[in-house]
Structures are given as C-alpha cells and as structure tokens.
C-alpha cells in the first residue's frame, strides 16, 4: 500500500483537481515579494511623513510672519492716526510757522476774479514782495535742447 487512502465519489473528483507532483511550491519568491512590498510601503510612509512635517514647519513660519506683519501694520496705522489727529496737525503747522489763511479769491474761466483776497492775519509781507518765477530752462536738470 502506498499510504494514501483511496478516495471515492465526490472526494475522488475533487482530488483530481489538485496538482499531483512536488508537494509545495517555492516560497522564497513570495516571501521576497511580501518583504519588498512592506519595505517599500514603509519607505513611502516615511517620505510622506517627512514632507508633511516640512509643510507644517513652513506653515508655522508663515503664520508667525503674518502675525508679525499684522502687528507692524497696526502699529503703523496707530502712528498715522496719531499724526493725522487735528490737534497734532495744528501743533505741527504752528511749528512750521504757518498761519490760517485769509479770505480766498476765485478765478472764473474768463479770467475775472471773484471775491476780494486778503492776506492771512498776523503775516507781514515785505514791501516789495515778488514771487519767484523760474524760466523753463532752470527747471530742467539736463542740458537744454539747443545744446547749451
């Protein structure tokens, strides 16, 4: 006897479907494939985790920079508000020697003057007050078109 029991009926038909020959297939390629897949998966997870950590650090730096810039903007806005307050403007104007203006006069498109201009109170004008008028050549920094 061969040591194997003889099968009958349905069991015999099912037994014919099983391969006859060496009992086991080589397990080495399968084990290598599983180890490579697991190792590759772990390496991919490590790379992905490193990229996410780097992105988190960049995000933290950007948020800190945004907070600093927001604080700076608010400080600058407070400075602007302080400089543009009416009492601060009046004090700066007085420091510069400016005085409130007098009554204005307006020019019509035809050249007539509407209103009577008056000098600002408290301002002494020199006896021969002449406004400074510059020639067009004096207003340019470079040589004149004629080459002088």
């Amino acid at each position: 006897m061969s040591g194997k029991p003889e099968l009958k009926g349905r069991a015999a038909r099912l037994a014919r479907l099983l391969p006859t020959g060496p009992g086991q297939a080589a397990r080495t390629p399968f084990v290598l494939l599983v180890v490579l897949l697991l190792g590759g998966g772990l390496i991919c997870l490590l790379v992905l985790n490193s990229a996410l950590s780097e992105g988190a650090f960049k995000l933290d730096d950007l948020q800190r920079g945004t907070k600093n810039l927001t604080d700076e903007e608010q400080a600058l806005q407070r400075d602007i508000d302080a400089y543009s307050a009416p009492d601060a403007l009046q004090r700066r104007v007085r420091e510069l020697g400016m005085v409130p203006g007098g009554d204005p006069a307006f020019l019509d498109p035809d050249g007539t003057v509407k209103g009577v201009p008056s000098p600002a109170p408290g301002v002494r004008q020199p006896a021969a007050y002449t406004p400074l008028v510059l020639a067009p050549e004096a207003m340019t920094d470079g040589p004149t078109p004629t080459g002088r």
Side-chain angles (χ1 to χ4, degrees):
M1 293 202 170
S2 65
K4 283 187 182 180
E6 292 220 12
L7 301 173
K8 296 183 180 178
R10 185 172 184 190
R13 285 186 305 221
L14 290 175
R16 281 190 301 227
L17 295 176
L18 296 175
T20 59
Q24 293 184 351
R27 291 183 184 215
T28 308
F30 177 72
V31 170
L32 283 177
L33 177 67
V34 169
V35 167
L36 286 175
L37 286 175
L38 287 175
L42 287 175
I43 290 173
C44 288
L45 284 175
L46 179 66
V47 169
L48 182 63
N49 192 14
S50 298
L52 288 174
S53 296
E54 182 181 350
F57 284 123
K58 283 183 182 178
L59 179 64
D60 188 44
D61 289 343
L62 290 174
Q63 286 175 340
R64 191 176 309 118
T66 301
K67 181 186 175 298
N68 291 340
L69 289 175
T70 302
D71 292 345
E72 184 179 350
E73 178 191 14
Q74 289 174 353
L76 290 173
Q77 188 62 45
R78 278 193 306 268
D79 290 346
I80 289 172
D81 293 342
Y83 284 128
S84 63
D87 57 340
L89 286 175
Q90 184 179 14
R91 183 176 26 78
R92 294 254 340 202
V93 164
R94 295 280 183 216
E95 288 172 1
L96 292 173
M98 301 173 89
V99 294
D103 294 331
F106 299 97
L107 292 177
D108 281 335
D110 61 356
T112 59
V113 178
K114 277 193 162 184
V116 178
S118 64
V123 176
R124 287 187 331 194
Q125 294 204 0
Y129 175 73
T130 309
L132 177 64
V133 179
L134 297 175
E137 295 85 24
M139 295 176 74
T140 61
D141 292 336
T144 58
T146 58
R148 288 190 249 159

